[in-house]
Amino acid sequence: MYDTLEKKAFDPLGGDRWFPKETWFEEDMTEYWGDWGCHSEVDELKAVLMRRPGKEVDDFDYREVRFRTEIDPERFRAQHDQLADFYRSKGIAVHYVEEQRKDRPNALFCRDLLLMTPEGAIICRPAMAARRGEETAVARAVANLNIPIIKTINADGYFEGANVMWVDRETVILAIGARTNRAGAEQVAEELRRIGVKEIIYMQTPCGQAHIDGVFNIASHDLVYMYPSQVPYSVVDTMKKKGYKILECPDTRECKEGFSVNFVAIKPGEIVMPAANEKSREILESNGVKVHVIEYDEVVKAWGGMHCCTAFLKRG
């Protein structure tokens, strides 16, 4: 009996009886890895990765790590907790980076460290020396969640995830500037094309602006909110041609200090943003957007907002 089965399995005249499963990796995600993936800034948010500020914010020189001013660590943590609690109240799973270097107070800005795609995570490589190394803890957290890492930025490239904005499954905006160099952007572009992105809209961030999400954000499938003087016309023109209505932030203070553009969409047409940005809130609400506000003034002393703190793991 055994000899017969062995002959059937390995008979050299019988040919190869094993055939590949011809699917895209994205099709395998849920079955083999879990319910992960993102190709939107506005589809229903279901899971995020965050870093609750730990010992790294207790004792540091704010000037050495590019904070605006000194912070109150407990208030800093409390406001970050408020955002995480708000996500949970909306049914969004909040996962944490549990371990981090004690000399990296910027590590709460997880969007800079991870870009989620439909096929898994791209682990970023921060530009600033004061942030380099934060990404290793994020890679461990992602691996522990069984999320595939499809790329880690390497060689001479550096790239921060907040310099990509998903427009749709086949379209992204990709910015190059102080926080993302050409070598890093090319690595990201190659990986995105490999997984089915067909249109990459390149954008140059102006001197003094770190990321796209400080000056440009998407509130719904047909609405963009932006700070006009720092967004190239080519980007605006592309979005208009795709059917988006463009709303302009009229207040420099709200954009640059209040981080009003740096909101997070919970689902199309519903966002959470820092409090005390009344002009922005009025504009968005008058255009049909449901706006939730949370006190976040202590966190933005670190020159980052809610979108910066939130790495999307699952949308849609």
Side-chain angles (χ1 to χ4, degrees), residues 52-70:
R52 185 177 189 269
K55 293 181 179 180
E56 65 268 19
V57 302
D58 285 331
D59 184 21
F60 66 97
D61 185 338
Y62 73 90
R63 291 159 295 197
E64 291 182 356
V65 296
R66 199 187 168 269
F67 277 37
R68 183 188 303 166
T69 185
E70 293 180 342

Side-chain angles (χ1 to χ4, degrees), residues 118-162:
E119 294 198 356
I122 294 177
I123 301 299
C124 306
R125 186 172 182 241
M128 290 173 55
R131 298 200 62 184
R132 191 69 58 80
E134 294 173 4
E135 68 274 22
T136 63
V138 169
R140 288 193 296 273
V142 166
N144 287 337
L145 289 169
N146 206 41
I147 297 172
I149 295 173
I150 62 171
K151 176 70 180 178
T152 299
I153 303 303
N154 58 8
D156 62 338
Y158 50 87
F159 162 77
E160 296 180 1

Side-chain angles (χ1 to χ4, degrees), residues 36-52:
W36 312 112
C38 179
H39 60 261
S40 170
E41 302 296 325
V42 300
D43 286 346
E44 184 178 359
L45 186 57
K46 295 182 178 177
V48 301
L49 182 69
M50 304 180 77
R51 165 64 184 175
R52 185 177 189 269

